[in-house]
C-alpha cells in the first residue's frame, strides 16, 4: 500500500512506515530527508493522541530545512486486538502547488493601470465592458437577461454614446444574443418620451 501511494504521488510525496514497538522507521519511500529504514522514529506516546481523530491525523503543516512546506497526514494502523502495529506518514511537498498558485495569481491580477488613451476610441470594447459589468452585477448570463435587463443595458450603452457609431447596433445585438430588430425596437422604446400627464379640469 505504501509503495502504491508513493508511486501515485511521487516524486512529491514521502511515505514512511514506522514501528511503534521499536520506535524505528520500518521503510521509507521517496525520502525527502536523510532518514532511512532503521532510524529512530521519535513518535512519542501514541496514547496521548486525540481519540476523536479515529487514528487519522491531518493534514498538518511541516517544514523542511530547505524551506519547503509539506502537507502531512499520519495514520495509526492497529491489529485485531486494537494495538498499534504501525504508523503510516505521508508528507506531500507543496512546492509545485505553491508555484502554480503564484503563477495563476500573477496572470489573474493586473499590476498596472490600463493606458486609457489607447482605448478611448474602442467602442467595441466599451460594449463588452458595459454588458460584462451588468452581467457580473446581476449574476445572470446574457442568455437569461430579461426585457427590462436589456432596456437597462441599452440605456447604459446609449449614455456612453455607443450608438453614435453607425455600426454599433449589430455588434450590440451580437453581444446580447438578440436580433438587430430587437435592439432597434428596445432602443426606440427607451428613447420615446414619456407621455405627459393630463391636467385635471379645474
Amino acid at each position: 500500500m505504501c509503495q502504491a501511494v508513493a508511486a501515485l504521488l511521487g516524486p512529491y510525496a514521502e511515505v514512511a512506515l514506522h514501528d511503534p514497538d521499536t520506535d524505528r522507521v520500518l521503510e521509507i519511500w521517496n525520502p525527502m530527508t536523510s532518514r532511512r529504514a532503521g532510524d529512530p522514529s521519535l513518535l512519542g506516546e501514541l496514547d496521548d493522541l486525540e481519540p476523536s481523530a479515529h487514528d487519522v491525523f491531518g493534514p498538518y503543516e511541516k517544514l523542511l530545512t530547505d524551506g519547503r512546506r509539506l502537507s502531512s497526514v499520519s495514520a495509526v494502523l492497529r491489529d485485531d486486538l486494537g494495538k498499534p502495529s504501525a504508523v503510516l506518514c505521508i508528507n506531500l511537498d507543496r512546492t509545485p502547488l505553491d508555484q502554480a498558485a503564484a503563477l495563476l495569481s500573477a496572470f489573474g491580477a493586473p499590476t498596472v493601470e490600463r493606458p486609457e488613451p489607447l482605448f478611448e476610441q474602442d467602442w467595441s470594447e466599451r460594449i463588452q465592458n458595459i454588458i460584462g459589468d451588468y452581467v457580473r452585477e446581476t449574476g445572470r448570463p446574457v442568455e437569461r437577461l430579461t426585457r427590462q435587463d436589456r432596456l437597462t443595458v441599452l440605456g447604459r450603452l446609449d449614455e456612453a454614446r455607443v450608438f453614435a457609431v453607425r455600426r454599433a447596433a449589430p455588434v450590440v445585438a451580437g453581444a446580447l444574443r438578440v436580433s438587430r430588430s430587437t435592439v432597434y425596437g428596445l432602443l426606440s422604446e427607451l428613447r420615446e418620451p414619456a407621455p405627459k400627464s393630463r391636467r385635471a379640469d379645474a
Side-chain angles (χ1 to χ4, degrees), residues 1-3 5-6 13-20 24-33 35-41 43 60 62 72-77 86-92:
M1 181 184 68
C2 295
Q3 187 175 356
V5 173
E14 174 189 81
V15 180
L17 195 64
H18 303 271
D19 183 354
R24 295 281 176 178
V25 178
L26 287 171
E27 188 57 79
I28 189 165
W29 294 261
N30 297 332
M32 295 183 180
T33 66
R35 289 191 308 171
R36 294 292 182 268
D39 287 349
S41 296
L43 290 175
Y60 51 88
K62 293 173 64 175
S72 302
V73 174
S74 297
V76 179
L77 311 180
V87 176
L88 169 65
C89 295
I90 303 173
N91 302 310
L92 181 66

Side-chain angles (χ1 to χ4, degrees), residues 9 12-14 32 57-64 68-74 89-95 97-98:
L9 300 178
Y12 301 111
E14 174 189 81
M32 295 183 180
F57 306 89
Y60 51 88
E61 185 175 88
K62 293 173 64 175
L63 289 174
L64 295 179
R68 282 182 293 169
R69 293 194 306 149
L70 307 178
S71 287
S72 302
V73 174
S74 297
C89 295
I90 303 173
N91 302 310
L92 181 66
D93 184 358
R94 294 182 52 87
T95 302
L97 300 176
D98 292 339

Side-chain angles (χ1 to χ4, degrees), residues 144-164:
R144 295 179 56 191
L145 293 182
T146 64
R147 183 172 174 279
Q148 186 56 50
D149 288 331
R150 293 185 183 122
L151 281 170
T152 302
V153 171
L154 290 179
R156 295 182 182 182
L157 291 169
D158 207 19
E159 288 178 7
R161 299 187 57 80
V162 166
F163 294 106

Side-chain angles (χ1 to χ4, degrees), residues 59-180:
Y60 51 88
E61 185 175 88
K62 293 173 64 175
L63 289 174
L64 295 179
T65 55
D66 59 9
R68 282 182 293 169
R69 293 194 306 149
L70 307 178
S71 287
S72 302
V73 174
S74 297
V76 179
L77 311 180
R78 299 181 183 273
D79 60 21
D80 293 339
L81 300 177
K83 179 184 176 183
S85 59
V87 176
L88 169 65
C89 295
I90 303 173
N91 302 310
L92 181 66
D93 184 358
R94 294 182 52 87
T95 302
L97 300 176
D98 292 339
Q99 290 174 341
L103 180 64
L104 292 174
S105 178
F107 273 115
T111 56
V112 298
E113 292 186 6
R114 189 176 74 164
E116 292 300 334
L118 292 178
F119 299 95
E120 285 181 355
Q121 304 302 319
D122 192 346
W123 53 270
S124 63
E125 178 160 333
R126 248 179 294 165
I127 293 172
Q128 299 298 329
N129 287 342
I130 290 172
I131 296 176
D133 285 342
Y134 189 81
V135 166
R136 285 189 294 272
E137 178 184 318
T138 61
R140 290 190 292 275
V142 171
E143 299 86 353
R144 295 179 56 191
L145 293 182
T146 64
R147 183 172 174 279
Q148 186 56 50
D149 288 331
R150 293 185 183 122
L151 281 170
T152 302
V153 171
L154 290 179
R156 295 182 182 182
L157 291 169
D158 207 19
E159 288 178 7
R161 299 187 57 80
V162 166
F163 294 106
V165 180
R166 188 178 60 178
R167 301 184 306 277
V171 176
V172 171
L176 289 176
R177 301 186 186 178
V178 296
S179 66
R180 198 180 314 181

